[in-house]
Amino acid sequence: MPLYLSRIIVLMGQSFFVYLYSIAQKRKVRRQISKLLTKLIQILQSTQSVQVIVGVLDIMAGICAEPSFELRTWEIGLVLEGVTSLMSPATPLLLGGVKSRSSSIARPLTNQDTSKIFTALYHVLINVARYKQEELTTLIPVFTAILQGIFHGFKSLHASIAKRQQGVELLIKSPFMLLSAGALHPAAPIPGSSTVSGAPIGDPLPVECAENFARLLTALGSRGVSTTFGSHGGGGAGAGSNATLNGHISATPTLSPGSSTITTDTSKAFGKHAPYILMEYFTIQGSVVASISQQSLRNALLPGLYALLNLCSDWEREMMMIGLDNTGKMLLKGLYTDYLRHHKYTGR
């Protein structure tokens, strides 16, 4: 990718949507939104720059949060296609390493890189879950597969040296290898750190990422908010106000004359897929070579796991019991007991 294009993408990801105040600007972007999303997907599939990936994902997050764009289902599908393209083991970042302006030599992905990518991914997915629930209902299987893959980014290699190489191989085969790669390559060698064949081992995604992932899982059972506009097709100049927080785009819809806010409840639709997300977690935890073993990460994920259990009926819980092995069944029983004791509202 040309250097000038990389710089444009990074700058756009940080500030482009902040300046889309006028109706004319928003309408112009809206007419080209599918072409823009297609181009962004192509960039994600070809770049070896973490900065560019984060910039592209920030643009996608801003598109999903902008109410005046009124994205259709197939356009949300394009956004999710961009995310799933990063799940491919053929992603250039994994095959060729990270390249930057400061060095022409590619390096492996580190935990810091994967944390930045996860945070940008989180902003895209949380905006889809909050603002585009109605459009998401037909795309839930794709969304579910993404969530299942993200769990693997929190895995750690177990301490047993005999099983360490098996754990490395398991991480390499992760459904979302891009997020698991940081566990294989630390930013710099640490004296006394774990090694495999002399190579230092890194860490899983940090607690902050686990907390954000739990918020995303919790959002699946919450009522979504969407804004519709009148015949003027985009409202007034204040149809949507955007702000950049910590370098990432967020959007708070501001209603204008002729617009209205609609809440949507897709918890029943998500409830049918929640067991598959939970079963992925239990399967990971049943592994003897690589699992989510850090207590701080497990604690951070708990609110999200409870939210998924809250979506499950007795039938879905029974389905999980049938589909899990003995270790998974014990983990499910333990989590469900804690859920009843500490989380579920009983009305007493």
Side-chain angles (χ1 to χ4, degrees), residues 5 25 38-39 47 78 80 97 100 108 131 158 235 244 280 292 296 321 343 347:
L5 184 56
Q25 287 175 314
T38 301
K39 185 62 180 177
T47 185
L78 286 175
L80 297 185
S100 62
Y131 304 123
H158 289 186
T244 302
E280 188 74 13
I292 305 173
S296 57
M321 289 297 290
H343 184 79

Coordinates of all heavy atoms in Angstrom, one line a residue, residues 5 25 38-39 47 78 80 97 100 108 131 158 235 244 280 292 296 321 343 347:
L5 N -1.4 6.7 1.3 CA -2.7 6.2 1.5 C -2.8 5.7 3.0 O -3.8 5.8 3.6 CB -3.0 5.0 0.6 CG -4.4 4.4 0.7 CD1 -5.4 5.5 0.5 CD2 -4.5 3.3 -0.4
Q25 N -22.7 16.9 3.3 CA -21.5 16.0 3.5 C -22.0 14.6 3.8 O -21.5 13.6 3.3 CB -20.6 16.6 4.6 CG -19.8 17.8 4.3 CD -19.1 18.4 5.5 OE1 -19.6 18.5 6.6 NE2 -17.8 18.7 5.2
T38 N -16.4 -1.5 0.9 CA -15.7 -2.4 0.1 C -14.2 -2.1 0.0 O -13.4 -3.0 0.1 CB -16.3 -2.5 -1.4 OG1 -17.7 -2.8 -1.3 CG2 -15.6 -3.5 -2.2
K39 N -13.9 -0.8 -0.2 CA -12.5 -0.4 -0.3 C -11.8 -0.7 1.1 O -10.7 -1.1 1.1 CB -12.4 1.1 -0.6 CG -11.0 1.6 -0.9 CD -10.4 0.8 -2.0 CE -8.9 1.3 -2.2 NZ -8.3 0.5 -3.3
T47 N -3.1 -4.9 4.1 CA -2.1 -4.1 4.8 C -1.3 -4.9 5.8 O -1.8 -6.0 6.4 CB -2.8 -3.0 5.6 OG1 -1.8 -2.1 6.2 CG2 -3.7 -3.5 6.7
L78 N -21.3 -6.1 5.2 CA -20.0 -5.7 4.7 C -19.0 -5.4 5.8 O -17.8 -5.7 5.8 CB -20.1 -4.5 3.7 CG -20.6 -4.8 2.3 CD1 -20.8 -3.4 1.6 CD2 -19.7 -5.7 1.6
L80 N -19.2 -6.7 8.9 CA -18.8 -7.9 9.5 C -17.8 -8.7 8.6 O -17.0 -9.5 9.1 CB -20.0 -8.8 9.8 CG -21.0 -8.1 10.8 CD1 -22.1 -9.1 11.2 CD2 -20.2 -7.8 12.1
G97 N 4.3 -10.3 8.9 CA 4.7 -9.5 10.0 C 4.3 -8.1 9.9 O 3.7 -7.7 8.9
S100 N 6.2 -0.9 9.5 CA 5.9 0.5 9.9 C 6.8 1.5 9.1 O 7.7 1.1 8.4 CB 6.2 0.7 11.4 OG 7.6 0.4 11.7
P108 N 7.3 -9.7 14.3 CA 6.1 -10.4 14.7 C 5.1 -9.5 15.4 O 5.5 -8.5 16.0 CB 6.6 -11.5 15.6 CG 8.1 -11.5 15.3 CD 8.5 -10.2 14.9
Y131 N -26.6 -0.1 18.0 CA -27.3 0.8 17.1 C -28.0 0.0 15.9 O -28.8 0.6 15.2 CB -26.5 1.9 16.6 CG -25.8 2.7 17.7 CD1 -24.5 2.9 17.7 CD2 -26.6 3.4 18.6 CE1 -23.9 3.7 18.7 CE2 -26.1 4.2 19.6 CZ -24.7 4.3 19.7 OH -24.1 5.1 20.7
H158 N -0.1 -23.1 29.2 CA 0.0 -23.7 30.6 C 1.5 -23.9 30.9 O 2.4 -23.9 30.0 CB -0.7 -25.0 30.6 CG -2.2 -24.8 30.6 ND1 -3.1 -25.8 30.8 CD2 -3.0 -23.7 30.5 CE1 -4.3 -25.4 30.8 NE2 -4.3 -24.1 30.6
G235 N -32.3 14.4 8.3 CA -32.5 15.3 9.4 C -31.7 16.6 9.1 O -31.2 17.0 8.1
T244 N -14.5 12.2 19.2 CA -13.4 11.3 19.2 C -12.9 11.2 20.6 O -12.5 12.2 21.2 CB -12.2 11.8 18.3 OG1 -12.8 11.9 17.0 CG2 -11.1 10.8 18.3
E280 N -18.2 -22.5 23.5 CA -16.8 -22.2 23.0 C -16.0 -21.9 24.2 O -14.8 -22.3 24.3 CB -16.8 -21.0 22.0 CG -15.5 -20.8 21.3 CD -15.2 -21.8 20.3 OE1 -16.1 -22.6 19.9 OE2 -14.0 -21.8 19.8
I292 N -8.0 -20.0 29.3 CA -8.1 -18.7 29.9 C -7.8 -18.9 31.4 O -8.7 -19.1 32.2 CB -9.5 -18.0 29.7 CG1 -9.8 -18.0 28.2 CG2 -9.5 -16.6 30.3 CD1 -11.2 -17.5 27.9
S296 N -7.6 -12.9 36.8 CA -8.1 -11.5 36.5 C -8.9 -11.5 35.2 O -9.9 -10.8 35.1 CB -6.9 -10.6 36.4 OG -6.0 -11.0 35.4
M321 N -25.7 -29.0 28.0 CA -25.3 -30.2 28.8 C -25.1 -31.4 27.9 O -24.2 -32.2 28.1 CB -26.4 -30.5 29.8 CG -26.4 -29.4 31.0 SD -24.9 -29.4 31.9 CE -25.0 -31.0 32.8
H343 N -26.1 -13.3 40.5 CA -26.4 -12.4 39.4 C -27.9 -12.3 39.1 O -28.5 -11.2 38.9 CB -25.7 -12.9 38.1 CG -25.9 -12.0 36.9 ND1 -25.3 -10.8 36.7 CD2 -26.8 -12.1 35.8 CE1 -25.7 -10.2 35.6 NE2 -26.6 -11.0 35.0
G347 N -36.4 -11.4 42.6 CA -37.7 -10.7 43.0 C -37.9 -10.8 44.5 O -38.9 -10.3 45.0

